[in-house]
Amino acid sequence: MAGRTLLLFSAVCLLAAGLNGAAAQGLLGAPPAKAPAGTAPDDSVTPPATPPGGAAEPPTPPVALPPSEPAAPIQPGSPTAVVRPFYDQVGLEVDPAQRGRFIDPAKTVLDKSDALRKSGQGECLDPNMALDNADYDKAEIDKSLKTLEAINDDQAKVIVAFVVAGNPHRLEWKFKKVDGEWKIADLLSVTGEWALSQYQCE
């Protein structure tokens, strides 16, 4: 009986020793191999940026803007056609030869201005009211001049905008149709806040 016990004890010891050896040999999981020198990842290198979920897309080419539409031609006899000469020749509004383009209240003020000038008592109106009393620079005005016309039955207005010496100006010409022709009834400066009809030339 004692011999069999000793034999069983020896077998258990051998089995334990074998398991310890197996564990030592990595049979329960081989130890990770050391990476060769120089193959460790370099944290200083920044990976190429990619959008989430995929590779980087090529840049989208810029979209070309459509060409701006040319300005509509001025219709003969329209309010805009009546206004345009005042921006081609400075001081045309105070020229007595142009008085037929006006009706009251503008005509009355211009007639009184003419009478005051003839009497030798001086000038009542500025010589370049169409330009909002700004310095005359035809090239600059021609480059920046914009007009907007609005007609309502026998009345109309033309908004004129332009830039002189970097300063924007905006005026409003008021019209009334008389015997089928557009006549200037008043001239207002939106920028300067004055109106031709408010002048007292006496």
Side-chain angles (χ1 to χ4, degrees), residues 171-192:
L171 296 105
E172 178 180 323
W173 296 75
K174 290 189 174 183
F175 288 83
K176 188 172 181 179
K177 184 172 277 190
V178 179
D179 297 331
E181 293 185 8
W182 289 108
K183 303 289 186 178
I184 302 167
D186 205 357
L187 170 59
L188 299 83
S189 169
V190 179
T191 309

Side-chain angles (χ1 to χ4, degrees), residues 147-161:
T147 60
L148 178 64
E149 179 183 288
I151 298 176
N152 184 12
D153 294 330
D154 65 342
Q155 297 187 22
K157 65 180 178 179
V158 174
I159 304 296
V160 177

Side-chain angles (χ1 to χ4, degrees), residues 3-159:
R4 293 179 62 184
T5 301
L6 182 59
L7 183 61
L8 181 61
F9 179 77
S10 299
V12 170
C13 290
L14 288 174
L15 180 60
L19 286 175
N20 288 340
Q25 294 174 15
L27 296 178
L28 298 180
K34 291 184 179 180
T39 59
D42 186 1
D43 291 338
S44 65
V45 178
T46 304
T50 56
E57 297 180 1
T60 305
V63 179
L65 295 176
S68 58
E69 296 182 2
I74 298 174
Q75 298 298 320
S78 68
T80 303
V82 176
V83 164
R84 189 63 199 226
F86 294 94
Y87 293 92
D88 293 332
Q89 182 179 340
V90 65
L92 198 62
E93 62 274 13
V94 295
D95 183 355
Q98 302 297 320
R99 200 66 71 240
R101 297 177 184 265
F102 295 84
I103 60 169
D104 288 339
K107 185 177 183 301
T108 296
V109 173
L110 292 170
D111 287 343
K112 289 183 176 181
S113 175
D114 292 342
L116 191 65
R117 184 186 315 111
K118 289 177 182 178
S119 69
Q121 298 183 34
E123 294 287 343
C124 173
L125 302 176
D126 291 301
N128 57 349
M129 298 186 75
L131 300 182
D132 201 17
N133 304 319
D135 293 334
Y136 181 63
D137 187 332
K138 190 174 190 315
E140 190 174 8
I141 291 172
D142 288 346
K143 182 179 179 181
S144 62
L145 187 69
K146 307 283 185 189
T147 60
L148 178 64
E149 179 183 288
I151 298 176
N152 184 12
D153 294 330
D154 65 342
Q155 297 187 22
K157 65 180 178 179
V158 174
I159 304 296

